Amino acid sequence: MPTPAAAPPEQATPRKGSARGEQTRQLILETALRLFRERGYAETTMRVIAKEAGVAVGNAYYYFDSKEHLIQGFYDRNQAAHRAAAEAVLSAEHDFAARLRGVLHAGIDVNEPYHSFAATFFKTAAEPTSPLSPFSRESSPAREAAIAIFRDVVEGSSVKLDPELRRELPELLWLAWMGVVLFWVYDRSPGSRRTRQLIDGAVPLIDRLVALSRLRVLRPALRQILALIETIR
């Protein structure tokens, strides 16, 4: 009886966690992101991604259970890139406003290559039950990584804060960042100029509000606001 032929090399699935496996995973992710930009999220299937990446469809599903999992991979990589891009300002500045402004601009820099498909993709991510929502359980690792960047903004600054506000401020800044991202999604100005103007205009206001929070007369109102946020969380 003849010996069965070995599977073609492209059919072999590199083990997850191995160097080759991580290379394959990144290849699939990079290919998917390129196709999302070129064709749009809805029009790009896992089969097309696998074909473009030169891997078997089964291999693509081995690393990513679905397109949604590919986007989660993008979220994770995006947060790592955002932190790297923000590192220069976080290591050099101690002023709260300068740190916040630098981190927000770094986030726009990192996201800019994906602007072309952002609006189409956002329609899916904005659905409350979608696992792609930044507020979903599936997105919690990327969300926590993003909040951690804003925690570094606060903790590494010289700003004086009410202890309760210090605890909650990183998440509040992340929510503000989500608002900036929504504005950016629909911003068609060259180089996202209007979004950058929004950042430059909003940061001094946030800085002033944070400074005012230290006033004793405003502390009861601050407690009420924090209690309301906790209630609706």
Side-chain angles (χ1 to χ4, degrees):
M1 179 179 295
T3 303
E10 66 270 19
Q11 298 298 319
T13 305
R15 182 170 53 84
K16 290 180 181 178
S18 68
R20 187 178 167 212
E22 183 58 25
Q23 288 178 350
T24 302
R25 184 181 185 278
Q26 289 302 318
L27 171 63
I28 295 168
L29 180 57
E30 291 287 348
T31 302
L33 294 177
R34 175 174 60 81
L35 291 173
F36 291 158
R37 291 195 299 269
E38 294 173 358
R39 304 186 181 195
Y41 177 76
E43 290 73 23
T44 302
T45 66
M46 288 292 284
R47 183 172 296 278
V48 170
I49 293 168
K51 181 179 179 180
E52 287 284 322
V55 302
V57 176
N59 284 9
Y61 278 109
Y62 175 73
Y63 292 101
F64 298 97
D65 291 344
S66 64
K67 284 201 304 182
E68 286 78 8
H69 285 82
L70 276 162
I71 293 298
Q72 296 300 335
F74 165 66
Y75 284 167
D76 294 339
R77 197 187 67 163
N78 184 271
Q79 292 311 317
H82 189 180
R83 175 168 287 281
E87 190 57 38
V89 69
L90 291 178
S91 61
E93 292 284 355
H94 294 287
D95 177 71
F96 171 75
R99 289 169 71 85
L100 179 58
R101 183 183 300 107
V103 164
L104 294 177
H105 278 294
I108 297 301
D109 293 340
V110 166
N111 282 285
E112 194 64 31
Y114 307 100
H115 202 178
S116 60
F117 85 97
T120 302
F121 164 70
F122 186 79
K123 293 176 182 178
T124 302
E127 170 60 42
T129 59
S130 170
L132 303 184
S133 166
F135 302 96
S136 71
R137 177 182 57 81
E138 292 84 352
S139 297
S140 59
R143 181 170 61 251
E144 291 303 319
I147 293 173
I149 296 175
F150 291 104
R151 185 172 296 112
D152 285 352
V153 168
V154 175
E155 296 301 329
S157 75
S158 56
V159 68
K160 305 299 182 184
L161 288 173
D162 177 271
E164 288 189 44
L165 179 60
R166 179 176 292 276
R167 185 175 62 251
E168 301 293 341
L169 187 55
E171 186 169 352
L172 295 176
L173 293 176
W174 173 75
L175 288 171
W177 167 237
M178 290 293 96
V180 170
V181 170
L182 176 59
F183 186 90
W184 168 81
V185 164
Y186 295 102
D187 180 8
R188 292 295 177 261
S189 61
S192 299
R193 175 179 50 82
R194 293 175 63 233
T195 301
R196 295 184 186 279
Q197 289 175 335
L198 173 64
I199 291 171
D200 291 339
V203 166
L205 295 175
I206 295 172
D207 186 38
R208 187 173 302 175
L209 287 172
V210 168
L212 289 174
S213 71
R214 300 197 302 268
L215 297 178
R216 186 180 300 275
V217 68
L218 295 179
R219 286 181 182 173
L222 174 63
R223 297 290 190 276
Q224 289 180 329
I225 293 171
L226 295 177
L228 176 61
I229 291 170
E230 183 62 30
T231 299
I232 65 176
R233 179 172 289 158

